[in-house]
Structure formats: C-alpha cells, structure tokens
C-alpha cells in the first residue's frame, strides 16, 4: 500500500503561503482595475471595509477591521477626505472619537467600485463551481478561528 501525500502538502509554499500569495494577486487585480478611478489599494480597501462596517463606524473600529495601526489609517482617511469621498464627524457622545461617513460623491464612487470588484471576482472565480467556492470559504473561516486560537495559546493569552 502506498501512502500518497495530500495535495495541499504538495504546494510549493505550503497551503498558508499559497493563500497569502493568492490574496496579494487578487488584491493587485482589484487595484489595477480601479486605478482609473484614482483609487490606490489602501483607499479602495478602506472604502470597502467602511461599507461593510456601515457608515458611522469609528476610525478605531475601521483600523481594527483592517488590521492596521491608526497612523496608517489616518493618512488614508485624510486622502479620501481630500478627494471628497468621506467625511469625519465628531461622535456626539465622545468628542475625541471620529465617525466616518461617505459623501454623496463617495457613495457614487463606492457603487462604481463595487461593480468593478464584482467583475474582478467573476474573473477570479472562473472555472470554480459554487460547491468549490463554498468549501474554500468554510475552510478559510475555520482556519481563521484556528489561527486566532493558536495566537492566544502561544501568546500566553496576552
């Protein structure tokens, strides 16, 4: 009886390394597609995360969602404000906290951005059926849970 190596172990960079490489390629595909809109990778990423978190989220919530530090986010937010895509408004209960909102122009740009991303996703998902995509999605969700537990374990629950 021969033991065969599982396919995921035959990948050049391991499964996690391959996921990282594919993530960068997918992100680059969107970045090239939205370049005519005047959006960089950091700007379109902030816009999409703000859309998913809902307008009125705080800068801290957005930074946490993006997994970045506040100085990096603040720079991108200032750029989006200069482009009149978003506005910052003081929180009514905590004046130190800023909440983020799309401008009317920003909402229109967001609609265009979402159409372009949907088109890119269609290309990225080519030759994959719904079952394959769902299996990958479930696997990624579980791997994220496992990674968070692993970090907790090895960090001493810091």
């Amino acid at each position: 009886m021969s033991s065969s190596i599982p396919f995921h172990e035959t990948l050049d960079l391991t499964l996690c390394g391959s996921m990282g490489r594919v993530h960068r390629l997918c992100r680059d595909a969107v970045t090239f597609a939205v370049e005519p809109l005047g959006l960089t990778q950091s700007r379109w990423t902030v816009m999409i995360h703000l859309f998913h978190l809902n307008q009125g989220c705080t800068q801290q919530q957005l930074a946490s969602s993006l997994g970045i530090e506040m100085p990096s986010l603040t720079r991108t937010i200032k750029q989006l404000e200069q482009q009149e895509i978003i506005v910052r408004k003081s929180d009514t209960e905590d004046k130190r906290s800023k909440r983020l909102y799309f401008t009317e122009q920003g909402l229109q740009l967001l609609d265009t951005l979402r159409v372009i991303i949907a088109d890119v996703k269609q290309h990225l998902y080519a030759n994959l059926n719904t079952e394959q995509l769902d299996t990958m999605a479930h696997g990624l969700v579980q791997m994220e849970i496992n990674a968070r537990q692993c970090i907790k374990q090895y960090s001493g629950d810091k």
Side-chain angles (χ1 to χ4, degrees), residues 2-150:
S2 69
S3 68
S4 62
I5 299 171
F7 177 70
H8 68 273
E9 291 295 337
T10 66
L11 299 174
D12 290 343
L13 298 174
T14 76
L15 183 58
C16 291
S18 292
M19 286 188 310
R21 186 177 66 230
V22 170
H23 171 262
R24 287 186 298 279
L25 288 167
C26 293
R27 185 184 61 208
D28 288 350
V30 172
T31 299
F32 285 122
V34 302
E35 193 173 38
L37 300 177
L39 295 175
T40 61
Q41 183 260 316
S42 60
R43 292 177 197 171
W44 71 258
T45 304
V46 164
M47 289 178 68
I48 291 299
H49 277 258
L50 177 55
F51 169 74
H52 286 291
L53 288 173
N54 292 319
Q55 293 194 75
C57 73
T58 65
Q59 288 182 211
Q60 188 59 53
Q61 289 169 323
L62 185 56
S64 178
S65 172
L66 288 161
I68 62 174
E69 300 293 324
M70 281 296 286
S72 297
L73 177 60
T74 301
R75 183 173 46 254
T76 302
I77 287 173
K78 283 181 183 176
Q79 293 166 344
L80 289 169
E81 280 184 309
Q82 289 169 347
Q83 286 182 281
E84 299 180 352
I85 294 170
I86 63 168
V87 293
R88 284 186 277 194
K89 297 180 182 177
S90 294
D91 187 311
T92 55
E93 295 175 20
D94 181 359
K95 298 295 182 198
R96 296 168 300 168
S97 184
K98 300 288 185 187
R99 295 200 173 267
L100 304 169
Y101 299 88
F102 285 105
T103 63
E104 190 58 43
Q105 177 181 325
L107 288 170
Q108 291 172 4
L109 184 62
L110 176 65
D111 287 343
T112 303
L113 173 62
R114 292 181 61 219
V115 167
I116 291 171
I117 289 175
D119 183 59
V120 171
K121 283 171 50 176
Q122 188 175 9
H123 289 284
L124 295 173
Y125 297 168
N127 302 314
L128 295 166
N129 63 40
T130 300
E131 183 180 347
Q132 290 169 313
L133 291 168
D134 284 350
T135 299
M136 281 193 289
H138 288 292
L140 287 173
V141 168
Q142 187 59 56
M143 284 184 76
E144 181 178 357
I145 292 166
N146 296 347
R148 290 184 191 281
Q149 290 172 344
C150 188

